[in-house]
Amino acid sequence: MRERTLERVRKLLAKAERTDNEHERATFMAAASALMAKHGIDSLPPAGTRQTPGDRVVTLPNPWAREKARLVSLVAQAVRCRPLLIGRGEGGQRVHVFGFAADLERADLLATSLLLQMASGLARVRVPDGVTAVRAYRRSWLLGFTDEVYRLLRVAESQAEQASTGAALVLADRRAEVERAVSAHYPDIRVSVPRTSGTGYRDGVAAGRRADLGRTGMTTDTAPELAPGR
């Protein structure tokens, strides 16, 4: 059933990618997002079952490598993984993502799709008249898009969790397991908050809201920059 669910998600996203009709696209994406969140709950093992978290290093290339890495990080966080930005290396910004297999898979699918949408959305952005700091505007657009997508994904995940009986304890145990895995690798963690400028950020938020929990294009293959170990 789980594989069938993921295949339905892939087909919905593929249909959304092919259509130019925004209403159809929104319908396909809303359905895909709900199924993805439900898949995360359905993949939970029975209470008391022990599993070992996994991890993968994701490398995001330029341009906008740091902003791409932030998107990957927040998408992973939204689906119950634990991401850490670990800096530049091997041709781009790197993110080390910890989580259980089913959640890593969901993070992979969603991040691959959202990176494509973010890139295409930025390409269509028209900088408002009077804005002279064009790069700062575009960067703020990317940050706004990412923050809104994260918020929407968290809403979908929360709704799926609330609809499931007994999921809370299992999820709490899994979060603790993931945090222990992170601590074993990185005992000292520093958090940074990027700066934004108002107009670009607000426009990015609006674009992220139109994504509606995952209104993105996605193929059935993983993007190269999201392959484990890259």
Side-chain angles (χ1 to χ4, degrees):
M1 178 61 72
R2 293 171 186 172
E3 286 303 317
R4 289 178 59 189
T5 299
L6 283 179
E7 185 60 27
R8 289 175 62 193
V9 169
R10 292 187 180 103
K11 288 180 179 179
L12 285 166
L13 290 172
K15 288 180 179 179
E17 193 173 76
R18 289 193 296 266
T19 184
D20 293 327
N21 184 300
E22 284 298 318
H23 178 73
E24 289 181 354
R25 187 166 177 266
T27 300
F28 291 139
M29 293 309 173
S33 300
L35 279 173
M36 184 67 84
K38 184 177 184 299
H39 172 71
I41 296 297
D42 290 344
S43 299
L44 293 175
T49 302
R50 293 298 301 273
Q51 293 182 336
T52 302
D55 68 290
R56 62 184 59 179
V57 175
V58 181
T59 301
L60 289 309
N62 283 311
W64 305 108
R66 289 180 62 86
E67 289 70 30
K68 291 175 184 176
R70 187 166 182 270
L71 174 66
V72 169
S73 296
L74 287 181
V75 168
Q77 185 175 319
V79 297
R80 300 193 296 273
C81 294
R82 181 69 160 86
L84 288 92
L85 292 168
I86 57 177
R88 183 176 297 279
E90 300 180 3
Q93 290 290 327
R94 295 176 299 158
V95 183
H96 199 164
V97 184
F98 294 79
F100 290 92
D103 295 330
L104 287 171
E105 181 181 30
R106 294 193 304 137
D108 192 349
L109 292 176
L110 286 168
T112 301
S113 183
L114 285 164
L115 282 168
L116 292 173
Q117 184 189 6
M118 187 171 74
S120 62
L122 183 65
R124 294 193 300 269
V125 166
R126 298 184 61 182
V127 179
D129 294 338
V131 173
T132 57
V134 174
R135 181 173 175 82
Y137 175 90
R138 291 181 180 277
R139 179 173 182 272
S140 292
W141 186 96
L142 292 170
L143 297 177
F145 175 91
T146 297
D147 285 353
E148 183 63 10
V149 163
Y150 170 74
R151 185 188 70 81
L152 293 170
L153 284 172
R154 283 304 309 144
V155 169
E157 292 294 317
S158 178
Q159 290 174 344
E161 292 171 15
Q162 291 173 12
S164 175
T165 303
L169 289 177
V170 176
L171 291 174
D173 288 343
R174 287 164 74 85
R175 279 191 290 268
E177 288 285 346
V178 171
E179 287 298 329
R180 281 192 285 272
V182 172
S183 296
H185 281 77
Y186 302 103
D188 301 312
I189 298 174
R190 180 173 61 87
V191 178
S192 63
V193 179
R195 292 176 293 179
T196 67
S197 65
T199 305
Y201 186 86
R202 290 194 300 270
D203 291 347
V205 167
R209 186 172 298 120
R210 290 193 293 272
D212 193 14
L213 315 185
R215 292 181 191 172
T216 57
M218 182 184 73
T219 65
T220 57
D221 296 325
T222 300
E225 63 267 24
L226 289 178
R230 290 294 293 270

